[in-house]
Amino acid sequence: MPSTYKRDKPWDTDDIDKWKEDTFTPDQNLGGTFSEESSFVTLFPKYRELYLKQSWPMITRTLEKHGIACTLDLVEGSMTVKTTRKTYDPAAILNARDLIKLLARSVPAPQAVKIMEDGTACDVIKIRGLVRNKDRFVKRRQRILGPNGSTLKALELLTQTYILVQGNTVSAMGGYKPLKEVRRVVEDCMANVHPIYHIKELMIKRELAKDPALRDENWDRFLPHFKKRNLAKRRKPFVINDKKASGKNYTPFPPPQEKSKVDLQIESGEYFLSKAAKERGVRERRDEKMKEKMEERKKKREAAFEVPREEGEGVEKKKKKRKTENGEGEVKRRKRDVPVAEVET
């Protein structure tokens, strides 16, 4: 039953955020030290070794404030964080785990240490498995960046997050709700939905949130609805290869299955031969191939010793023709070819 006793509360004003969580202090840890040690290990690539070595003192100082111990192993290429007796916040070790994960994904150290603050979370999105084709994956990953990084900068401004595209992953830092928006934009981009559509939608939502009259209403009537047009009007090729129109006999059935090696051996009878007979047959076929190759090589060697033909050899002599009075060509006959009757006259 609600209380009917009402009293003025001068300390309760409208500018107080009742949902705000205060920072966890060592005084609030009534349980004392932890009973067991918790630790996390993360590997990092070789090219990050020099940068981590230079920025490790700053990372160590940041984690010491929360009572977390950290170790950098350059031999194995790993980073380790673990709790100590000075650790008072149970969630600090989880934030330290996210810190070394972001450092391994090439996030700058000054930006990565912000994960230790309350209300800041991170999300490492794996995008390589979303697209099979390598060239298509590179093009769609470039869409997230945009020309000169303009698309990525617009997403960061609209969602109030930090986004880094590195290799096969996309690392994001920010609030919990904006991280959901970033993941949706990245996954849709890998599914061939351009990020500019989501950017336009986020801009409209931000303007609607400023209006107190529309803050609690449904915004579907204000948001744009984009339709896929590439499936409705498919491109028709100029040359249509119609198998029915061609001269080949068209059949809708697939071609017959090719016979396996065992089926061919059964047909030839080789399958039922003994092991020695099979080896003998293989040896005979190998010897035949060797003889054929040896004959081809012998012909090539003998071709270098063939006598070359002389000029004019094998060319038939053309019979000379002379022109008659009519202009027609007549074959010039020798004297001995003329008949005897013509010579006597």
Side-chain angles (χ1 to χ4, degrees), residues 99-319:
L99 171 62
I100 59 176
K101 189 193 302 183
L102 292 171
L103 290 172
R105 293 314 308 154
S106 301
V107 177
Q111 177 66 34
V113 294
K114 294 180 181 179
I115 196 68
M116 303 300 295
E117 300 174 1
D118 292 337
T120 305
C122 72
D123 190 7
V124 179
I125 308 166
K126 298 179 181 179
I127 57 176
R128 184 62 188 94
L130 302 178
V131 182
R132 291 187 177 183
N133 194 321
K134 182 67 179 294
D135 298 335
R136 194 175 297 169
F137 165 74
V138 173
K139 289 180 181 178
R140 293 183 184 178
R141 184 182 62 182
Q142 185 62 30
R143 289 181 189 173
I144 303 174
L145 298 173
N148 300 324
S150 58
T151 305
L152 189 68
K153 190 66 178 176
L155 280 174
E156 289 180 347
L157 293 173
L158 289 171
T159 58
Q160 297 297 320
T161 56
Y162 173 82
I163 305 172
L164 177 68
V165 181
Q166 174 68 21
N168 298 333
T169 59
V170 177
S171 304
M173 290 179 59
Y176 296 100
K177 190 174 181 181
L179 286 179
K180 288 185 179 181
E181 294 288 341
V182 173
R183 174 173 279 273
R184 185 169 68 94
V185 172
V186 172
E187 290 180 350
D188 287 351
C189 182
M190 291 293 113
N192 203 18
V193 178
H194 204 282
I196 196 66
Y197 299 134
H198 293 287
I199 290 173
K200 188 174 183 180
E201 183 178 335
L202 290 171
M203 291 174 67
I204 296 172
K205 285 182 177 179
R206 189 174 67 171
E207 295 298 326
L208 291 172
K210 294 178 181 178
D211 190 355
L214 299 173
R215 186 176 298 172
D216 300 329
E217 293 187 10
N218 190 6
W219 294 345
D220 286 345
R221 65 179 188 272
F222 301 106
L223 299 178
H225 299 283
F226 301 100
K227 297 180 180 179
K228 294 183 178 180
R229 300 179 181 179
N230 55 348
L231 296 178
K233 298 180 180 179
R234 295 181 62 89
R235 185 184 65 85
K236 294 184 179 180
F238 293 104
V239 180
I240 300 175
N241 297 326
D242 192 359
K243 296 181 179 179
K244 295 181 180 180
S246 59
K248 298 180 182 179
N249 295 329
Y250 172 75
T251 172
F253 303 104
Q257 186 179 2
E258 295 183 358
K259 295 182 180 179
S260 64
K261 190 176 180 180
V262 178
D263 295 337
L264 296 174
Q265 289 179 353
I266 292 173
E267 290 183 358
S268 61
E270 185 181 354
Y271 183 79
F272 305 101
L273 297 177
S274 62
K275 187 176 181 181
K278 289 181 181 179
E279 292 178 355
R280 187 170 59 253
V282 172
R283 205 162 41 245
E284 289 176 358
R285 287 193 293 270
R286 186 169 60 245
D287 293 342
E288 290 178 2
K289 290 181 180 179
M290 289 177 62
K291 287 179 181 179
E292 292 178 0
K293 290 184 178 180
M294 288 175 66
E295 290 177 0
E296 291 178 2
R297 292 172 184 169
K298 187 177 180 181
K299 288 180 181 179
K300 289 181 180 179
R301 287 195 299 267
E302 292 177 352
F305 299 100
E306 290 183 0
V307 181
R309 290 185 178 182
E310 296 181 359
E311 295 182 0
E313 185 180 352
V315 180
E316 296 182 356
K317 294 182 179 180
K318 296 181 180 180
K319 295 181 179 180

